[in-house]
């Protein structure tokens, strides 16, 4: 329950940048969270795809506690063993060779944009500086990343925006080709547009896009802020397409709840950065890196990716069964544990009714319910989610 004092103080002292639901979460355990009065909720938001090991995972908690006793922060003026270990681990797990650490997805995408522009202008000349992104994409809230975001609603009020960005249509290669010019430095794309309505990139589109970028010596940047670190059933979503990018960005699940972002690139591209090219005071601090190493260790040691594939399939089947009997459901789409349900009605009240029945979900682009639970979610939890959705949607028929 939300107290009047907390609601008042929030309105009084916080900038009004969020439309919050009337609930104050004070504790979490596994896939469940609890409000101030002790009521239990099934968490299918997971901090917006962040808490991939759920809440209070002992390995993650222990890693954070152990590192906090030794060193929380020093500076990137000095070497840090957790940072180097994490960079090595991410390079071993991915296509990449070099890593830049930051604190969020927006910062990771900022780093990718800067790196791609610096590499391209130094390699091909100062005119090679523009980017193609996708309509309905979402890449962050900084000036450059909100400009890269192909949604006009996030641009309003922030003009003049940085120049050099244009927008193609996901899964339409001709629309990409029509925007390519000798000034194009890179193409930035999400394998699944999470904030854009859980829209999945086609296999053929991604393969052809990779081939086109290679042919024209244009960098391919994959924004895996939401899809990375096991969300789709592979460590990174690009693995499911049989391609490799030149640059990839990560955040959200990377720290299991501790803020951390990463920009990963091939050695050839990464050499464009030199001391002073980019930086971050808190990026790659020992605490965040220790947390991330624990997350990756749990994923590998517990065979979590195979479990995500199985439970993701179970969730998909449950949602599709609902669609077969509830005409309000227009589409089910997604991969693994990033799933979307498109409705023919607005989803805000559905989210509220699910909360009243102790299940937390969220809604994007007004009509798409998004399900991004912890990767440790069980069949019993999925059954609870499906049951609540069935009750909430059926009463609207």
């Amino acid at each position: 329950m939300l107290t009047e004092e907390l609601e008042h103080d929030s309105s009084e002292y916080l900038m009004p940048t969020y439309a919050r639901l009337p609930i104050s979460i004070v504790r979490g355990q596994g896939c469940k969270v609890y409000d101030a009065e002790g009521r239990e909720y099934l968490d299918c938001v997971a901090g917006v795809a962040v808490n991939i090991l759920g809440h209070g995972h002992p390995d993650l908690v222990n890693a954070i506690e152990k590192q906090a006793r030794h060193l929380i922060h020093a500076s990137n003026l000095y070497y840090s063993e957790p940072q180097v270990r994490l960079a090595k681990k991410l390079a071993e797990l991915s296509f990449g060779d070099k890593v830049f650490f930051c604190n969020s997805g927006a910062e990771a995408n900022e780093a990718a944009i800067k790196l791609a522009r610096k590499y391209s202008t130094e390699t091909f000349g100062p005119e090679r500086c523009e980017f193609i992104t996708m309509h309905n994409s979402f890449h962050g809230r900084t000036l450059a990343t909100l400009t890269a975001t192909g949604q006009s609603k996030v641009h309003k009020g922030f003009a003049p925006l940085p120049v050099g960005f244009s927008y193609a249509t996901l899964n339409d290669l001709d629309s990409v080709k029509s925007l390519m010019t000798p000034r194009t430095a890179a193409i930035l794309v999400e394998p699944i547009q999470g904030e854009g309505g859980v829209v999945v990139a086609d296999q053929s589109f991604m393969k052809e896009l990779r081939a086109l970028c290679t042919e024209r010596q244009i960098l391919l940047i994959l924004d895996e802020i939401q899809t990375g670190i096991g969300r789709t059933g592979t460590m990174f979503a690009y693995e499911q397409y049989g391609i490799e990018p030149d640059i990839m960005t990560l955040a959200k699940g990377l720290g299991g709840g501790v803020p951390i972002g990463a920009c990963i690139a091939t050695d050839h591209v990464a050499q464009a950065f030199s001391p002073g090219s980019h930086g971050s005071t808190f990026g790659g601090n020992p605490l965040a890196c220790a947390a991330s190493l624990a997350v990756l260790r749990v994923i590998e040691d517990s065979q979590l990716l195979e479990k995500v594939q199985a439970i993701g399939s179970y969730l998909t089947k449950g949602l599709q069964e609902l669609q077969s009997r509830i005409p309000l459901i227009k589409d089910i789409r997604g991969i693994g544990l990033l799933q979307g349900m498109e409705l023919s009605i607005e989803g805000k009240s559905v989210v509220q009714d699910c909360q009243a029945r102790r299940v937390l979900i969220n809604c994007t682009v007004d009509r798409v319910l998004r399900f991004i639970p912890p990767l440790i979610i069980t069949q019993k939890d999925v059954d609870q989610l499906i049951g609540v959705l069935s009750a909430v949607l059926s009463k609207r028929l």
Side-chain angles (χ1 to χ4, degrees), residues 47-48 63 74 81 86 91 102 114 134 157 168 171 195 197 209 220 253 257 271 287 348 359 370 396:
V48 192
E81 182 180 352
L86 179 57
C102 51
K114 285 184 66 175
M134 303 295 143
N171 295 326
E195 294 292 333
L209 186 62
L220 177 61
Q271 294 305 315
L287 186 71
K348 181 178 179 180
V359 170
R370 179 173 49 170
R396 285 166 166 76

Side-chain angles (χ1 to χ4, degrees), residues 25 41 71 92 106 165 173 208 220 235 258 327 351 393:
I25 295 173
Y41 301 81
L71 184 68
E92 291 171 348
F165 294 87
L173 196 68
E208 291 170 1
L220 177 61
M235 187 63 76
V258 176
V351 171
L393 292 172

Side-chain angles (χ1 to χ4, degrees), residues 58-244:
D59 289 21
L60 179 57
V61 171
N62 289 339
I64 293 169
E65 288 181 344
K66 181 179 178 180
Q67 184 60 51
R69 291 190 193 101
H70 290 286
L71 184 68
I72 293 175
H73 178 75
S75 167
N76 283 309
L77 295 173
Y78 315 106
Y79 288 98
S80 167
E81 182 180 352
Q83 184 183 100
V84 174
R85 287 174 55 212
L86 179 57
K88 179 180 179 181
K89 187 63 177 177
L90 288 172
E92 291 171 348
L93 290 171
S94 75
F95 71 95
D97 303 303
K98 295 289 195 299
V99 184
F100 172 83
F101 289 115
C102 51
N103 310 286
S104 68
E107 290 180 55
N109 283 331
E110 281 276 351
I113 290 167
K114 285 184 66 175
L115 176 60
R117 182 167 281 176
K118 194 165 191 292
Y119 166 83
S120 297
T121 56
E122 289 183 351
T123 304
F124 301 103
E127 295 79 18
R128 191 79 164 252
C129 61
E130 296 182 350
F131 296 82
I132 298 172
T133 70
M134 303 295 143
H135 289 294
N136 299 318
S137 59
F138 185 86
H139 300 293
R141 297 285 189 176
T142 65
L143 274 177
T145 57
L146 76 83
T147 307
T149 294
Q151 300 187 51
S152 59
K153 66 181 181 181
V154 306
H155 299 165
K156 292 178 180 178
F158 300 107
L161 299 175
V163 298
F165 294 87
S166 57
Y167 313 105
T169 301
L170 187 70
N171 295 326
D172 183 347
L173 196 68
D174 287 339
S175 75
V176 177
K177 290 179 178 178
S178 71
L179 295 174
M180 283 184 168
T181 73
R183 297 177 63 86
T184 304
I187 295 174
L188 172 60
V189 62
E190 302 159 281
I192 303 176
Q193 293 182 335
E195 294 292 333
V198 193
V199 181
V200 182
D202 293 339
Q203 283 277 341
S204 59
F205 174 77
M206 293 292 274
K207 285 183 176 294
E208 291 170 1
L209 186 62
R210 172 67 275 181
L212 183 63
C213 287
T214 300
E215 175 191 337
R216 304 198 183 185
Q217 295 183 286
I218 292 171
L219 297 177
L220 177 61
I221 308 171
L222 292 189
D223 178 339
E224 292 228 26
I225 305 301
Q226 196 161 138
T227 58
I229 317 300
R231 174 61 55 184
T232 65
T234 51
M235 187 63 76
F236 311 108
Y238 75 78
E239 298 172 75
Q240 304 199 27
Y241 293 93
I243 64 168
E244 292 183 349

